[in-house]
Amino acid sequence: MSEIAGRLAQIREAFERPTLALLSRGKRGPVVLAVLMSSFSQNQDPVPAEQLHAQVRTYLAELAAAGEEVPDDPPRVLCRRWVKEQWLVLAANEDHVEEYALTSHAQEAIDYVKRLSGDRSMFSQSRIKTILDAARRCANDANPDREERVRRLDDEIRRLTAERDRICGGGEIEIAPDDRVLEEYLNLRDLIAQLPADFLRVSEAVKAIQRVIVGEFRAEGRRAGHVLDLYLERSSDLMTESAEGRAFVGAVELLRDDRLLKELRDDLKTILEHPFAVAVTPAEARDFRNTVIAVRHGMGIVQEQRRRLSATLRAHIARHDALRERELDEALRRCRSELASWMEKSGPRSRAGIALDLPSLEVAHLRQRFYNPGDHIPPLPLADTQAEAADPTSLEELRRQGGPDLGALRELVTAAVQELEAVSAGEVFASAEAGLRRPVEVFGLLHIAAATGAKELRDSGEADLFEAVRPDGTRRSFTTTRTVFTHEQLGALEAHDLDRQS
């Protein structure tokens, strides 16, 4: 008898999985996938419920305007239906805000569509080489024969040594053609594309453990120690017995080794620097380059779920009061006993008066606040600190710390031009007294030059040097483009009120 019945049962079981249910949904399947792919980012970050409802409403309206057949149900109803069909998961975050997230089934469907719609690694030399390398590593791990392992290691050492000697001796380095590198790139990209769904499966397994733990807490007679043992046992089994758990442990070990991470980043960068990469889209190159970031994000999802599970355990243990629970259990048992006795003596329509709340007291007036004499004590008198006050600042000291004296600078420029016919701003500044050579006076002099149209000698390469003196006696040097005042500026000095312009 053939195995056709077993094959059919296997296929039916596969078609009952949410992944194939989403892909085989007829006309509605592509619409649902398009909405999910547009609503969630590459990192599968959760989306607040109200935000997703608004996005779904917008996307469905755009598809309807484009002539596509879309569901008529409200976005909230659609999202809750997708949760029921295990394409989305709805949970509240720590801020008590409901969020939607993709399930591993939806992520698998999205990854499958992406692989079918883009370039895929087909039967090629790269894939056969990957299979051979994996088979060789697996055989080495599975073979307990010491001599066989040593023989394989010696063969590998001789092969690598010969290749190294050939290259060091000036041998030609073969440049892989674009087609071969493209095949290897597609093969590697397919392996990387499977990681997000694997991490989501681990996260969903942790959620399943959390549901079991919460159920155990609510079960009668379950002690906290027993529940903790159950949690530790199931967590250990998840990380050691499932393929997703082992992949997660391997990712943790990888991210702990900085050297391996650096080598992985360098290898990915080297692959994208090959000439074949001109055919890779910027989005695909960015996702390929950010493989390490994607692995870190997937680990963060799993670790956040485990942290929430630990928080559930911690909150239950902190609130658990064994004595109070025993007292409550004893009171309930007495109630059941009294109820049974009453049922034996009462008739079918008998009633018992039960006070469901505490009686209230009749109080005419209840003071809410008592008299406090301290409320009427005046504040302490202010202390006289006039003797500790600093000496008042004189007008001259304030002026020394203030802005430029444009009036004095204007008179200085006028006198210098009348005497020399042409004078630079640096020479005018050098001829001033120390009190008019503060750093701020440099800006005042340049302001006068700009207002009167003084000529700047930019092409001559000459510069004006200003040796400024601060009020505390320290000196500071400034260099600007050489600016010359001539008789043309005298009329401008008289026509403009520079003090008002300042």
Side-chain angles (χ1 to χ4, degrees), residues 71-139:
D72 298 331
D73 300 318
R76 182 184 298 273
V77 175
L78 285 176
C79 292
R80 296 304 171 94
R81 183 186 304 163
W82 297 342
V83 171
K84 184 179 180 180
E85 293 175 345
Q86 301 182 37
W87 302 335
L88 291 177
V89 59
L90 178 63
N93 58 18
E94 294 181 348
D95 297 330
H96 305 290
V97 177
E98 288 189 334
E99 293 179 334
Y100 288 101
L102 291 176
T103 64
S104 61
H105 309 294
Q107 185 62 47
E108 285 179 342
I110 291 174
D111 294 340
Y112 184 74
V113 169
K114 287 183 178 179
R115 288 195 296 271
L116 288 181
S117 60
D119 294 331
R120 294 189 301 150
S121 58
M122 306 299 291
F123 180 79
S124 61
Q125 181 182 3
S126 171
R127 176 152 294 191
I128 295 300
K129 185 177 179 181
T130 301
I131 295 174
L132 293 177
D133 292 341
R136 184 180 298 109
R137 288 194 300 269
C138 184

Side-chain angles (χ1 to χ4, degrees), residues 114-174:
K114 287 183 178 179
R115 288 195 296 271
L116 288 181
S117 60
D119 294 331
R120 294 189 301 150
S121 58
M122 306 299 291
F123 180 79
S124 61
Q125 181 182 3
S126 171
R127 176 152 294 191
I128 295 300
K129 185 177 179 181
T130 301
I131 295 174
L132 293 177
D133 292 341
R136 184 180 298 109
R137 288 194 300 269
C138 184
N140 287 334
D141 294 337
N143 190 357
D145 190 350
R146 185 186 305 274
E147 295 181 357
E148 179 64 19
R149 286 199 177 191
V150 172
R151 185 190 66 78
R152 292 196 178 206
L153 290 174
D154 289 340
D155 292 342
E156 185 71 13
I157 291 172
R158 283 193 295 269
R159 184 182 66 81
L160 295 176
T161 302
E163 179 65 14
R164 177 184 179 278
D165 294 341
R166 185 187 70 81
I167 296 176
C168 292
E172 182 180 358
I173 299 178
E174 179 184 359

